[in-house]
Amino acid sequence: MLHVALVLGTRPEAIKLAPLILALRAEPRRFRTTVVLSGQHADLVAPILAFFDIRADIDINLMQPNQSLASLTSRAVTELHRVLGELEPDWVVVQGDTTTAMACALAAFYLKIKVAHLEAGLRTNRIDSPFPEEINRRFISQIAALHWAPTAASARALRREAMPLPHARIVVTGNTVIDALLLGVARLRTAPVPDADRDRIAAFLAADQRHRFVLVTGHRRENFGEPLRQICRTLARLAAADQRALFLYPVHPNPNVRTTVDEMLGRVPNIVLTAPKNYPEFLQLLDLSHVIVTDSGGVQEEAPALGKVVLVTRDTTERPEGLKTGLVKLVGHQPTRLLAAVRSALVASRRARRAPKPAFPYGDGAAAARCVKSLLAKSP
Ligand code: UDP
């Protein structure tokens, strides 16, 4: 039996690891699974785990108010080294590019425990964008023995870099975010979860065929400060000029985001600011939306699978596959470009007879099964 420890703390880590945890736990004779919470977004993670019926085994609360990246990193390495040293798993699974995932890979390396990296090989090739994630994921790639690349392009990116582990394997799996999305949306379409915002949007859309719903998210560190202010200013202008569009922005709790957004958008009548949505509620909103304005990585992957238009408020993306579908556009935060992009997406949506066709550049919903299979293959 293989003992697999999975470490997670942020919302996207929980969403993307959930299908893998379920797949591992579905084979109790082959796997012992330990889920370790880093405690980073404890309140955002709990409902996701509840939605997927997952119980965590260990919670190491790493978070302290206003802690620097340096102090988070050092605490994370020390604590994860202690926990993994006690657990002695065969594999540690980390996801993506958070600072805790990077620290966990380092702790596992010190303990000579093999690391499997879910969603490996994403690159912008710019060291400062996204910051510090580009370095975090490159660092994890240096240590991992098993790289689960979501797409062929991410596998190519890994092959281009010298891998210090000679027996490391790269497996193209698709992204488990699509496993979670398809599982979640299918369940929610038959058994919706109650949400007053969703009811309000559904009523607004039912009132007039030309009414459109724009879903906004934004929390990236590189957009803090002036870029976020420019995005907010543009959204306020768009909303004032188009009363047949309703904007909803679930605002990330980070004070760098919340203070600016509340101050700049708090009094615009057709912009609804709301607390971050639990994952199932967010999926219901995605399903209702016509246009999405976001700097989120996960949302760029999910939205095309539901046939939604996504305008990305970043200068770079490590997810170029979505751009090729025509549904995802990189628009940055400069007001003129963002304004024109949202306007033309709304015009196109009102003109179109039917919603755009879904596209699946990030996976077919069976990524977790491929990960499990590769864990059982001869260990590197
Ligand atoms: N999400 C959510 N509630 C929200 C906004 C996003 O559950 O209010 C989900 C979304 O479905 C996606 C994930 O969170 O799967 C994206 O996480 P986030 O934007 O925090 O991080 P990123 O993907 O940029 O790393």
Coordinates of all heavy atoms in Angstrom, one line a residue, residues 86-144:
E86 N 7.1 12.9 10.7 CA 6.3 12.0 11.6 C 5.5 11.0 10.7 O 5.4 9.9 11.0 CB 5.4 12.8 12.5 CG 6.1 13.4 13.7 CD 5.3 14.5 14.4 OE1 4.1 14.5 14.2 OE2 5.9 15.3 15.1
L87 N 4.9 11.6 9.6 CA 4.1 10.7 8.8 C 4.8 9.7 7.9 O 4.3 8.6 7.6 CB 3.2 11.6 7.8 CG 2.1 12.4 8.3 CD1 1.6 13.4 7.2 CD2 1.0 11.6 8.9
E88 N 6.0 10.1 7.5 CA 6.8 9.3 6.6 C 6.1 8.7 5.4 O 6.1 7.5 5.2 CB 7.5 8.1 7.4 CG 8.5 8.6 8.4 CD 9.2 7.5 9.1 OE1 8.6 6.4 9.2 OE2 10.4 7.6 9.4
P89 N 5.4 9.5 4.6 CA 4.6 9.0 3.5 C 5.6 8.5 2.4 O 6.7 8.9 2.3 CB 3.8 10.2 3.0 CG 4.6 11.4 3.4 CD 5.4 11.0 4.7
D90 N 5.0 7.7 1.4 CA 5.8 7.4 0.2 C 5.9 8.6 -0.7 O 6.9 8.7 -1.4 CB 5.2 6.2 -0.5 CG 5.1 5.0 0.4 OD1 6.2 4.5 0.8 OD2 4.0 4.6 0.8
W91 N 4.8 9.3 -0.8 CA 4.7 10.4 -1.7 C 4.1 11.6 -1.0 O 3.2 11.5 -0.2 CB 3.8 10.1 -2.9 CG 4.3 9.2 -3.9 CD1 4.2 7.8 -4.0 CD2 5.1 9.6 -5.0 NE1 4.8 7.3 -5.1 CE2 5.4 8.4 -5.8 CE3 5.6 10.8 -5.5 CZ2 6.2 8.4 -6.9 CZ3 6.4 10.8 -6.7 CH2 6.7 9.6 -7.4
V92 N 4.6 12.8 -1.4 CA 3.9 14.0 -1.0 C 3.4 14.7 -2.2 O 4.1 14.8 -3.2 CB 4.8 15.0 -0.3 CG1 4.1 16.3 0.1 CG2 5.4 14.4 1.0
V93 N 2.1 15.0 -2.2 CA 1.5 15.7 -3.4 C 1.4 17.2 -3.1 O 0.8 17.6 -2.1 CB 0.1 15.1 -3.8 CG1 -0.5 15.9 -5.0 CG2 0.3 13.7 -4.1
V94 N 1.9 18.1 -3.9 CA 1.7 19.5 -3.8 C 1.0 20.0 -5.1 O 1.2 19.3 -6.2 CB 3.0 20.3 -3.5 CG1 3.5 20.0 -2.2 CG2 4.0 20.2 -4.6
Q95 N 0.3 21.0 -5.0 CA -0.4 21.5 -6.2 C 0.0 22.9 -6.5 O 0.1 23.8 -5.7 CB -1.9 21.5 -5.9 CG -2.9 21.7 -7.1 CD -3.0 23.1 -7.5 OE1 -2.8 24.1 -6.7 NE2 -3.1 23.3 -8.8
G96 N 0.3 23.2 -7.8 CA 0.4 24.6 -8.3 C 1.6 25.3 -7.8 O 2.8 24.8 -7.9
D97 N 1.5 26.5 -7.3 CA 2.6 27.4 -7.2 C 2.5 28.3 -5.9 O 3.1 29.4 -5.9 CB 2.7 28.3 -8.4 CG 1.3 28.9 -8.8 OD1 0.5 29.0 -7.9 OD2 1.1 29.2 -9.9
T98 N 1.9 27.8 -4.9 CA 1.8 28.7 -3.7 C 3.2 28.6 -2.9 O 3.9 27.7 -3.2 CB 0.7 28.3 -2.7 OG1 1.0 26.9 -2.3 CG2 -0.7 28.4 -3.3
T99 N 3.4 29.6 -2.1 CA 4.6 29.6 -1.2 C 4.6 28.3 -0.3 O 5.7 27.7 -0.1 CB 4.6 30.9 -0.4 OG1 4.7 31.9 -1.4 CG2 5.9 30.9 0.5
T100 N 3.4 27.9 0.2 CA 3.4 26.7 1.0 C 3.7 25.4 0.2 O 4.4 24.5 0.7 CB 2.1 26.5 1.7 OG1 1.1 27.0 0.9 CG2 2.1 27.1 3.1
A101 N 3.3 25.4 -1.1 CA 3.6 24.2 -1.9 C 5.1 24.2 -2.1 O 5.7 23.1 -2.1 CB 2.9 24.3 -3.2
M102 N 5.7 25.3 -2.4 CA 7.2 25.4 -2.6 C 7.9 24.9 -1.3 O 8.8 24.1 -1.3 CB 7.5 26.8 -3.0 CG 9.0 27.1 -3.3 SD 9.9 27.6 -1.8 CE 9.2 29.2 -1.5
A103 N 7.4 25.5 -0.2 CA 8.1 25.1 1.1 C 7.9 23.6 1.4 O 8.8 23.0 1.9 CB 7.5 26.0 2.2
C104 N 6.8 23.1 1.0 CA 6.5 21.7 1.3 C 7.4 20.8 0.5 O 7.9 19.8 0.9 CB 5.0 21.4 1.0 SG 4.6 19.7 1.3
A105 N 7.6 21.2 -0.8 CA 8.5 20.4 -1.7 C 9.9 20.4 -1.1 O 10.6 19.4 -1.1 CB 8.5 21.0 -3.1
L106 N 10.3 21.6 -0.5 CA 11.7 21.7 0.1 C 11.8 20.8 1.3 O 12.8 20.0 1.5 CB 12.0 23.1 0.4 CG 13.4 23.4 1.0 CD1 14.5 23.0 0.0 CD2 13.5 24.9 1.3
A107 N 10.7 20.8 2.2 CA 10.7 20.0 3.4 C 10.8 18.5 3.0 O 11.6 17.7 3.6 CB 9.5 20.3 4.2
A108 N 10.0 18.1 2.0 CA 10.1 16.7 1.5 C 11.4 16.3 1.0 O 11.9 15.3 1.2 CB 9.0 16.5 0.4
F109 N 12.1 17.3 0.2 CA 13.4 17.0 -0.3 C 14.4 16.8 0.8 O 15.2 15.8 0.7 CB 13.8 18.2 -1.2 CG 15.2 18.1 -1.7 CD1 15.5 17.2 -2.7 CD2 16.2 19.0 -1.2 CE1 16.8 17.1 -3.2 CE2 17.5 18.9 -1.7 CZ 17.8 18.0 -2.7
Y110 N 14.3 17.6 1.9 CA 15.3 17.4 3.0 C 15.1 16.0 3.6 O 16.0 15.4 4.2 CB 15.0 18.5 4.1 CG 15.5 19.8 3.6 CD1 15.0 21.0 4.2 CD2 16.5 20.0 2.7 CE1 15.4 22.3 3.8 CE2 16.9 21.3 2.3 CZ 16.4 22.4 2.9 OH 16.9 23.6 2.5
L111 N 13.8 15.5 3.6 CA 13.5 14.2 4.2 C 13.6 13.1 3.2 O 13.3 11.9 3.6 CB 12.0 14.3 4.8 CG 11.8 15.2 6.0 CD1 10.3 15.5 6.1 CD2 12.3 14.6 7.2
K112 N 14.0 13.4 2.0 CA 14.1 12.3 0.9 C 12.8 11.6 0.7 O 12.7 10.4 0.4 CB 15.2 11.3 1.3 CG 16.6 12.0 1.4 CD 17.7 10.9 1.3 CE 19.0 11.4 1.0 NZ 19.5 12.5 1.8
I113 N 11.7 12.4 0.7 CA 10.4 11.9 0.4 C 10.0 12.3 -1.0 O 10.3 13.5 -1.4 CB 9.3 12.4 1.4 CG1 9.6 11.9 2.8 CG2 7.9 12.0 0.9 CD1 8.7 12.6 3.9
K114 N 9.5 11.4 -1.8 CA 9.2 11.8 -3.2 C 8.0 12.8 -3.3 O 7.0 12.7 -2.6 CB 8.8 10.5 -4.0 CG 10.0 9.7 -4.4 CD 9.6 8.4 -5.1 CE 8.8 7.5 -4.2 NZ 8.7 6.2 -4.7
V115 N 8.2 13.7 -4.3 CA 7.2 14.7 -4.5 C 6.5 14.5 -5.8 O 7.2 14.4 -6.8 CB 7.8 16.2 -4.4 CG1 6.8 17.2 -4.8 CG2 8.4 16.4 -3.1
A116 N 5.2 14.6 -5.8 CA 4.4 14.6 -7.0 C 3.8 16.0 -7.1 O 3.2 16.5 -6.2 CB 3.3 13.5 -7.0
H117 N 3.9 16.6 -8.3 CA 3.5 18.0 -8.5 C 2.3 18.0 -9.4 O 2.4 17.7 -10.6 CB 4.7 18.8 -9.1 CG 4.4 20.3 -9.1 ND1 5.0 21.1 -10.0 CD2 3.4 21.0 -8.5 CE1 4.6 22.3 -9.8 NE2 3.6 22.3 -8.9
L118 N 1.1 18.4 -8.8 CA -0.1 18.5 -9.6 C -0.1 19.9 -10.3 O 0.1 20.9 -9.6 CB -1.3 18.3 -8.7 CG -2.7 18.3 -9.4 CD1 -2.8 17.2 -10.4 CD2 -3.8 18.2 -8.3
E119 N -0.4 19.9 -11.6 CA -0.5 21.1 -12.4 C 1.0 21.7 -12.6 O 1.3 22.8 -12.3 CB -1.3 22.2 -11.7 CG -1.8 23.3 -12.7 CD -2.7 24.4 -12.1 OE1 -2.3 24.8 -11.0 OE2 -3.6 24.8 -12.7
A120 N 1.8 20.8 -13.1 CA 3.2 21.2 -13.3 C 3.4 21.8 -14.7 O 2.7 21.4 -15.6 CB 4.1 19.9 -13.1
G121 N 4.5 22.6 -14.8 CA 4.9 23.1 -16.1 C 4.2 24.4 -16.6 O 4.4 24.8 -17.7
L122 N 3.4 25.0 -15.7 CA 2.9 26.3 -16.1 C 4.0 27.4 -16.0 O 4.7 27.4 -15.0 CB 1.7 26.7 -15.2 CG 0.4 26.2 -15.6 CD1 0.3 24.7 -15.6 CD2 -0.7 26.8 -14.7
R123 N 4.1 28.2 -17.0 CA 5.2 29.2 -17.1 C 4.7 30.4 -17.8 O 4.0 30.4 -18.8 CB 6.4 28.6 -17.9 CG 7.1 27.4 -17.4 CD 7.9 27.7 -16.1 NE 8.6 26.5 -15.7 CZ 8.1 25.6 -14.8 NH1 7.0 25.8 -14.2 NH2 8.9 24.6 -14.4
T124 N 5.1 31.6 -17.2 CA 5.0 32.8 -18.0 C 6.4 33.2 -18.6 O 6.5 34.1 -19.4 CB 4.5 34.0 -17.1 OG1 5.5 34.2 -16.1 CG2 3.2 33.8 -16.6
N125 N 7.4 32.6 -18.0 CA 8.8 32.9 -18.3 C 9.2 34.3 -17.9 O 10.1 34.9 -18.5 CB 9.1 32.6 -19.8 CG 9.0 31.2 -20.1 OD1 9.6 30.4 -19.4 ND2 8.3 30.8 -21.1
R126 N 8.4 34.8 -17.0 CA 8.8 36.1 -16.4 C 8.9 36.0 -14.9 O 7.9 35.6 -14.2 CB 7.8 37.2 -16.7 CG 8.1 37.8 -18.1 CD 7.0 38.9 -18.4 NE 6.8 39.8 -17.3 CZ 6.0 40.8 -17.3 NH1 5.3 41.0 -18.4 NH2 5.9 41.6 -16.3
I127 N 10.1 36.2 -14.4 CA 10.3 35.9 -13.0 C 9.4 36.7 -12.0 O 9.1 36.2 -10.9 CB 11.8 36.2 -12.7 CG1 12.3 35.5 -11.4 CG2 12.2 37.6 -12.7 CD1 13.8 35.5 -11.3
D128 N 8.9 37.8 -12.4 CA 8.1 38.7 -11.5 C 6.6 38.6 -11.8 O 5.9 39.4 -11.3 CB 8.6 40.2 -11.7 CG 8.5 40.7 -13.1 OD1 8.4 39.8 -14.0 OD2 8.6 41.9 -13.3
S129 N 6.2 37.7 -12.7 CA 4.8 37.7 -13.0 C 4.3 36.3 -13.4 O 4.8 35.7 -14.3 CB 4.6 38.6 -14.2 OG 3.3 38.5 -14.7
P130 N 3.5 35.7 -12.6 CA 3.0 36.2 -11.3 C 4.0 36.1 -10.2 O 4.8 35.1 -10.2 CB 1.7 35.3 -11.0 CG 2.0 34.1 -11.7 CD 2.9 34.4 -12.9
F131 N 4.0 37.0 -9.3 CA 5.0 37.1 -8.2 C 4.3 36.6 -6.9 O 3.3 37.2 -6.6 CB 5.5 38.5 -8.1 CG 6.4 38.7 -6.9 CD1 7.7 38.5 -7.0 CD2 5.9 39.1 -5.7 CE1 8.6 38.7 -5.9 CE2 6.7 39.3 -4.6 CZ 8.1 39.1 -4.7
P132 N 4.9 35.7 -6.1 CA 6.1 35.0 -6.4 C 5.9 33.6 -7.0 O 6.8 32.8 -7.0 CB 6.6 34.8 -5.0 CG 5.4 34.6 -4.1 CD 4.3 35.5 -4.8
E133 N 4.7 33.4 -7.6 CA 4.4 32.1 -8.0 C 5.3 31.5 -9.1 O 5.5 30.3 -9.2 CB 2.9 32.0 -8.5 CG 1.9 32.2 -7.4 CD 1.6 33.6 -7.0 OE1 2.2 34.5 -7.6 OE2 0.6 33.8 -6.2
E134 N 5.8 32.3 -10.1 CA 6.6 31.8 -11.1 C 7.8 31.1 -10.6 O 8.2 30.0 -11.0 CB 7.0 32.9 -12.1 CG 7.9 32.4 -13.3 CD 7.2 31.7 -14.4 OE1 5.9 31.5 -14.4 OE2 7.9 31.3 -15.4
I135 N 8.4 31.7 -9.6 CA 9.6 31.1 -9.0 C 9.2 29.9 -8.1 O 9.8 28.8 -8.1 CB 10.3 32.1 -8.1 CG1 11.2 32.9 -9.0 CG2 11.1 31.5 -7.0 CD1 12.3 32.1 -9.8
N136 N 8.1 30.0 -7.4 CA 7.6 28.8 -6.6 C 7.5 27.6 -7.5 O 8.0 26.5 -7.1 CB 6.3 29.1 -5.9 CG 6.4 30.1 -4.8 OD1 7.5 30.4 -4.3 ND2 5.3 30.7 -4.4
R137 N 6.8 27.7 -8.6 CA 6.5 26.5 -9.4 C 7.8 26.0 -10.1 O 8.0 24.8 -10.3 CB 5.4 26.7 -10.4 CG 5.6 27.9 -11.4 CD 4.3 28.2 -12.0 NE 4.4 29.4 -12.8 CZ 3.3 30.2 -13.1 NH1 2.2 30.0 -12.5 NH2 3.5 31.2 -13.9
R138 N 8.7 26.9 -10.5 CA 10.0 26.5 -11.1 C 10.8 25.7 -10.0 O 11.4 24.7 -10.3 CB 10.8 27.7 -11.5 CG 10.3 28.2 -12.9 CD 11.0 29.5 -13.2 NE 10.5 29.9 -14.5 CZ 11.1 29.6 -15.7 NH1 12.2 28.9 -15.7 NH2 10.5 30.0 -16.8
F139 N 10.7 26.2 -8.8 CA 11.5 25.5 -7.7 C 10.9 24.1 -7.5 O 11.7 23.2 -7.4 CB 11.3 26.4 -6.5 CG 12.1 26.0 -5.3 CD1 13.4 26.5 -5.1 CD2 11.6 25.1 -4.4 CE1 14.1 26.0 -4.0 CE2 12.3 24.7 -3.3 CZ 13.6 25.2 -3.1
I140 N 9.6 24.0 -7.5 CA 9.0 22.7 -7.2 C 9.4 21.7 -8.4 O 9.7 20.6 -8.1 CB 7.4 22.8 -7.1 CG1 7.0 23.7 -5.9 CG2 6.8 21.4 -7.0 CD1 5.6 24.1 -5.9
S141 N 9.5 22.2 -9.6 CA 9.8 21.4 -10.7 C 11.2 20.8 -10.6 O 11.5 19.8 -11.1 CB 9.8 22.2 -12.1 OG 8.5 22.6 -12.3
Q142 N 12.1 21.5 -9.9 CA 13.4 21.0 -9.7 C 13.5 19.8 -8.7 O 14.4 19.0 -8.8 CB 14.3 22.1 -9.1 CG 14.5 23.4 -9.9 CD 15.1 23.1 -11.3 OE1 16.2 22.6 -11.3 NE2 14.4 23.3 -12.3
I143 N 12.5 19.7 -7.9 CA 12.5 18.7 -6.8 C 11.6 17.5 -7.2 O 11.9 16.4 -6.8 CB 12.0 19.4 -5.5 CG1 13.1 20.3 -5.0 CG2 11.6 18.3 -4.5 CD1 12.8 21.1 -3.8
A144 N 10.5 17.7 -7.9 CA 9.5 16.7 -8.1 C 10.0 15.5 -8.9 O 10.8 15.6 -9.8 CB 8.3 17.3 -8.8

